[in-house]
Amino acid sequence: MSEAPEVTRMPVVTPLRVVIGLCLFAPFVAMLWVGSYAKIDPTFIGIPFFYWYQMLWVLLSTVLTVTAYKLWQLDQRGRDNQGGGAAK
């Protein structure tokens, strides 16, 4: 019988993947913690805090999601280069 090649597996949880998770989790925490932004003051150009805070998180969520996506691509390229990716 032939010997099976030794398979080296990369860890599933890496610091890069933790950062990706935090980038995706932060907007949920910010929006679900309503008590932190359920107020009127301070206003910004006449818009109550409640509204501009949420609109700010729309922009921040976009930036964090794009960041997570780019980090995920980086992680996948690193795994493919080390042979840890799925067989093609």
Side-chain angles (χ1 to χ4, degrees):
M1 287 197 172
S2 64
E3 292 183 25
E6 184 177 323
V7 177
T8 58
R9 294 181 183 240
M10 295 183 67
V12 175
V13 179
T14 62
L16 186 60
R17 288 186 173 192
V18 170
V19 171
I20 292 168
L22 290 175
C23 285
L24 296 174
F25 188 65
F28 288 105
V29 172
M31 290 292 93
L32 290 176
W33 185 20
V34 178
S36 70
Y37 63 92
K39 52 189 173 185
I40 294 174
D41 290 325
T43 59
F44 176 68
I45 60 171
I47 302 171
F49 180 75
F50 181 80
Y51 295 112
W52 68 258
Y53 179 82
Q54 290 180 14
M55 289 300 106
L56 178 65
W57 270 102
V58 169
L59 298 174
L60 289 174
S61 296
T62 302
V63 170
L64 289 171
T65 302
V66 169
T67 302
Y69 176 70
K70 294 296 184 183
L71 290 174
W72 181 258
Q73 286 181 326
L74 179 68
D75 182 64
Q76 292 306 302
R77 276 194 304 261
R79 287 177 180 270
D80 288 343
N81 289 341
Q82 292 184 359
K88 293 181 182 177

